[in-house]
Amino acid sequence: MMAKVLMVISNGVQVKNYRTGYWSEEFRVPLKALEDAGHEVTIASPKGGDGVVDELSLSEQWDPNGESRAFEKLGRNKGTLRLGDLSGKDYDAVVFVGGHGPMFDVAYDPAAHRIINEIYDKGGIIAAECHAPAVLAQTVRPNGEPILAGKKVTGFPDEWEPADVVPHLPYSLEQELRKVGEYISALDQPKFAVWADKQIITSRDPASSELMAEELVKALGKL
């Protein structure tokens, strides 16, 4: 079955001299896997228009083979739809792309929270990578309970946050996730993703984007 999947990227944030956005690898890897599997992917952002990549994700250190640099030239981040104009009822799954950017904009977007609940209520899949589980930390169910209450969740751990970036961040992702769910870092595993229940999956870091992509394709095949 071909599924309709919504992918959400950050519009980018400037904090003093620090600029951030979505992490390219966490956008391109699941996007390619989903489209290769025949699923229809729509790309959105809180404001609509262009999403902004975190330039660090295109650096030699994080993109040694130039795959992300080549991907960004395709312009898949351009002309995204605005989350507020969309309904989760039209999609089978939503994927929140990581990077520090989502901690600032996607996490607090009321339309993102609404779409998560709409997709969850129709039995769809909700996925969030790396720093993007911040949006799940802020999402509550209609009964007022956090959507992650009592559930396993992962995300980028405190001890891996770059010291020069921490002062610019609005909060600790790990601590926010610990407030609402059962946070797992699994630092001994090179790749890590965890299902909170049959519908919600989170992944820990850029190295886990491939694992996230595999899990998503598998789950969509069962819908």
Side-chain angles (χ1 to χ4, degrees):
M1 181 198 93
M2 184 196 78
K4 294 183 74 174
V5 182
L6 187 63
M7 283 195 89
V8 181
I9 59 176
S10 172
N11 290 115
V13 173
Q14 182 86 37
V15 183
K16 296 181 182 174
N17 62 344
Y18 177 63
R19 185 164 173 76
T20 187
Y22 66 83
W23 197 262
S24 185
E25 182 181 359
E26 294 168 354
F27 185 20
R28 69 173 170 84
V29 172
L31 176 59
K32 184 177 189 305
L34 290 165
E35 291 185 335
D36 284 354
H39 302 303
E40 180 187 325
V41 181
T42 299
I43 299 161
S45 62
K47 292 179 184 172
D50 295 352
V52 174
V53 68
D54 187 322
E55 293 292 335
L56 188 61
S57 68
L58 308 180
S59 65
E60 204 64 43
Q61 178 188 358
W62 293 102
D63 186 33
N65 301 319
E67 292 172 281
S68 290
R69 292 191 290 279
F71 168 75
E72 291 304 325
K73 288 176 182 171
L74 302 176
R76 298 299 297 270
N77 64 321
K78 305 292 185 188
T80 68
L81 301 180
R82 191 175 74 96
L83 282 176
D85 297 333
L86 305 176
S87 169
K89 295 171 185 176
D90 296 329
Y91 298 93
D92 302 297
V94 60
V95 182
F96 291 95
V97 175
H100 283 116
M103 292 177 69
F104 294 85
D105 61 355
V106 179
Y108 295 111
D109 191 286
H113 306 152
R114 171 179 55 77
I115 286 168
I116 287 168
N117 277 313
E118 287 168 346
I119 290 176
Y120 193 77
D121 286 338
K122 66 177 278 190
I125 305 294
I126 294 140
E129 305 177 272
C130 199
H131 289 89
V135 71
L136 295 175
Q138 301 295 332
T139 301
V140 296
R141 298 289 290 140
N143 65 2
E145 280 244 321
I147 196 166
L148 290 175
K151 295 174 181 174
K152 292 176 180 175
V153 63
T154 192
F156 205 75
D158 279 348
E159 60 189 275
W160 287 2
E161 288 288 9
D164 60 330
V165 171
V166 170
H168 301 295
L169 299 179
Y171 49 84
S172 152
L173 173 69
E174 178 179 328
Q175 299 312 316
E176 289 300 298
L177 292 174
R178 286 186 182 282
K179 288 176 189 174
V180 293
E182 184 190 333
Y183 176 82
I184 306 168
S185 59
L187 299 183
D188 57 327
Q189 298 185 36
K191 300 175 182 180
F192 184 66
V194 64
W195 286 94
D197 55 26
K198 290 179 180 177
Q199 293 178 255
I200 301 173
I201 183 171
T202 53
S203 59
R204 184 188 61 204
D205 59 327
S208 304
S209 54
E210 201 173 330
L211 176 59
M212 170 64 91
E214 290 167 7
E215 290 293 317
L216 273 174
V217 170
K218 208 187 308 178
L220 290 172
K222 295 176 183 174
L223 288 181

